[in-house]
Amino acid sequence: MKIVGADVIVCCPGRNFVTLKITTDEGVTGLGDATLNGRELSVASYLKDHVCPVLIGRDPQRIEDTWQYLYRGAYWRRGPVTMSAIGAVDMALWDIKGKLAGLPVYQLLGGASREGVMAYSHATGRDIPETLEAFAEHREKGFRAIRVQCGVPGMKSVYGVSKKKGAAYEPATKGWPEEQSWSTEKYLDYVPRLFEAVREKFGFDIHLLHDAHHRLSPIEAARLGKSVEDYRLFWLEDLTPAENQEAFRLIRRHTVTPIAVGEVLNTIWDCKNLIEEQLIDYIRMTVTHAGGITHLKRVFDFASLYQVRSGSHGPSDLSPVCLGAALHLDLAIPNFGVQEYMGYHEQTMEVFRCAWRYEDGFMHPGEKPGLGVEIDEALAAKYPYEPAFLPVARLEDGTMWNW
Ligand code: EZ4
Ligand code: CO
């Protein structure tokens, strides 16, 4: 069997997505997600110009060999662009293998280790009362785990808070990158009150999560973790930028609040120390940005040796193909923790037809052979690419900061 086609589909049904479609000489096709939010066309080019041509003629069944061919063969290793491109190819090949076998991919990964996959959603509000309202709505929908983010008095914009009441949170803006401002002092003084209010109103019978989005220094992160221990969070996410893996030693020394990291990491080398030294509790890498099912499974298996569990990133900027792939892994691996599920625009769900489902707090990849996600290419063509950027953040004195 041979690969006879590798096509890149860029579309914007509500937001931009890059999808790779691989076609075999027997007519079987596979899909992979290659979306890198705010930098979409770089991966589209990497695929179109440098990967698709060398896929033609290869045996689609040789997934590991193709992974190694693209990783070692590029000479230039790692990085979000390379790993997203490899991730898309890998996903598409697993999709094809599943279709050839007549089995959903989770069966090829060893079968189900659980009945369903616990998902967490996002409750956001401009202030605490609005966030509590949103929290109640998400609980109504059955979520057993909910992330809370809310506006901070005196700050114009805060990460994770949607612009209008009840609207889904979408960080990317069309046109020029949005400039946001940040004050760690204001945030650190305020955010424990949000957790206190949630626990007071809803009790402890639901998992509570929060994302600091890379804004804190290690000692500030340690202070936050320590000061909210009584609210028993499921996790604090991305407290400090994880390029410096050793920084987490300091945080760990001061708090028992569980820590999640990894949505911007791409390979095992980005999190090897974090896992080996047990500096984190959840690893949040995704199928797309971490080199596909093949590499992410390797990371999760390594993490399982150290009691680190999965908590895959699942924002609306990774396509429904990536979420489908994540759910197959989530269902199969022994050390699953939780799966993020932000939901999608209506137009996105019309373009991508998904076998995966959400029901009463849990998700399932479905029983369709392969990944179980198809794309309506004619409809996708009606939503052409629209340039969009992620925001940037500055401190109140104008210093560039981490968004
Ligand atoms: O800001 O995916 O936990 N989720 C997140 C996301 C990220 C976006 C960036 O593209 O941090 O909302
Ligand atoms: Co995050």
Side-chain angles (χ1 to χ4, degrees):
M1 194 179 303
K2 279 189 172 63
I3 294 174
V4 294
D7 300 293
V8 179
I9 304 157
V10 182
C11 62
C12 188
R15 66 161 341 284
N16 290 313
F17 294 111
V18 178
T19 309
L20 175 71
K21 180 183 168 191
I22 294 181
T23 308
T24 69
D25 55 357
E26 292 183 11
V28 180
T29 60
L31 291 185
D33 176 34
T35 308
L36 186 60
N37 199 2
R39 295 292 186 269
E40 292 89 354
L41 297 186
S42 59
V43 189
S45 158
Y46 191 110
L47 283 168
K48 266 192 264 186
D49 298 325
H50 308 291
V51 172
C52 293
V54 301
L55 290 178
I56 306 299
R58 295 185 65 85
D59 180 352
Q61 303 204 72
R62 295 178 66 168
I63 299 177
E64 181 69 45
D65 183 64
T66 302
W67 196 96
Q68 299 294 338
Y69 183 83
L70 294 174
Y71 185 78
R72 294 170 195 267
Y75 184 61
W76 311 108
R77 295 173 181 220
R78 316 203 277 162
V81 176
T82 300
M83 297 312 288
S84 299
I86 297 177
V89 174
D90 187 81
M91 246 178 275
L93 296 185
W94 277 101
D95 194 17
I96 289 171
K97 197 177 277 298
K99 286 175 182 172
L100 291 173
L103 291 170
V105 166
Y106 78 82
Q107 292 289 11
L108 304 179
L109 299 173
S113 289
R114 53 196 56 79
E115 305 311 315
V117 169
M118 183 172 72
Y120 76 89
S121 64
H122 290 195
T124 121
R126 286 165 299 181
D127 52 27
I128 290 178
E130 212 175 275
T131 312
L132 295 179
E133 239 180 87
F135 195 95
E137 283 163 24
H138 287 266
R139 211 177 55 146
E140 247 349 81
K141 288 180 193 150
F143 284 100
R144 312 291 205 275
I146 301 175
R147 181 185 106 158
V148 289
Q149 309 287 141
C150 101
V152 174
M155 276 168 66
K156 269 184 242 119
S157 50
V158 178
Y159 162 77
V161 177
S162 52
K163 295 202 169 80
K164 280 187 229 126
K165 190 179 174 214
Y169 174 64
E170 167 59 69
T173 48
K174 300 195 172 141
W176 209 246
E178 184 192 337
E179 296 254 344
Q180 297 184 349
S181 73
W182 176 253
S183 160
T184 298
E185 295 77 13
K186 288 175 186 156
Y187 164 81
L188 278 186
D189 285 343
Y190 192 70
V191 80
R193 295 193 216 166
L194 169 64
F195 307 148
E196 185 186 11
V198 171
R199 286 310 192 198
E200 218 173 77
K201 185 156 178 162
F202 299 100
F204 282 76
D205 199 21
I206 188 158
H207 293 303
L208 184 57
L209 298 80
H210 178 74
D211 190 349
H213 224 252
H214 325 274
R215 306 283 168 90
L216 308 179
S217 72
I219 199 69
E220 289 162 350
R223 177 184 145 204
L224 177 61
K226 195 170 171 176
S227 69
V228 301
E229 278 172 3
D230 285 349
Y231 309 124
R232 196 183 42 69
L233 267 65
F234 188 88
W235 78 36
L236 276 175
E237 171 181 340
D238 287 338
L239 288 169
T240 194
E243 291 100 307
N244 181 4
Q245 297 182 45
E246 291 73 22
F248 286 79
R249 282 190 205 133
L250 188 146
I251 305 172
R252 251 328 196 213
R253 245 179 254 142
H254 291 281
T255 180
V256 295
T257 296
I259 294 168
V261 165
E263 68 181 50
V264 302
L265 308 184
N266 314 119
T267 75
I268 184 68
W269 301 102
D270 296 330
C271 55
K272 186 169 167 289
N273 300 356
L274 289 173
I275 292 171
E276 232 167 22
E277 293 186 39
Q278 291 171 272
L279 302 178
I280 57 171
D281 302 280
Y282 298 91
I283 181 72
R284 279 181 49 69
M285 283 155 74
T286 59
V287 181
T288 296
H289 302 149
I293 290 172
T294 298
H295 190 67
L296 192 55
K297 175 134 187 345
R298 205 156 274 154
V299 172
F300 287 161
D301 284 342
F302 179 66
S304 78
L305 304 179
Y306 299 94
Q307 288 158 302
V308 174
R309 295 196 284 161
S310 75
S312 275
H313 193 205
S316 47
D317 47 88
L318 286 158
S319 94
V321 179
C322 176
L323 183 60
L327 293 172
H328 286 281
L329 257 177
D330 292 342
L331 197 67
I333 59 172
N335 54 330
F336 167 75
V338 74
Q339 172 65 51
E340 186 179 23
Y341 178 49
M342 271 179 79
Y344 291 101
H345 288 271
E346 219 173 288
Q347 300 104 292
T348 303
M349 292 310 282
E350 282 162 15
V351 167
F352 294 93
R353 310 260 164 76
C354 304
W356 54 254
R357 58 178 191 271
Y358 166 82
E359 210 180 277
D360 197 26
F362 291 85
M363 299 191 78
H364 196 285
E367 298 299 338
K368 278 241 178 86
L371 295 177
V373 182
E374 295 303 329
I375 188 168
D376 181 336
E377 288 180 70
L379 190 58
K382 292 190 180 149
Y383 299 105
Y385 170 76
E386 294 182 45
F389 287 93
L390 286 172
V392 297
R394 292 182 187 277
L395 299 182
E396 288 175 322
D397 70 356
T399 307
M400 273 302 302
W401 204 244
N402 314 316
W403 175 71

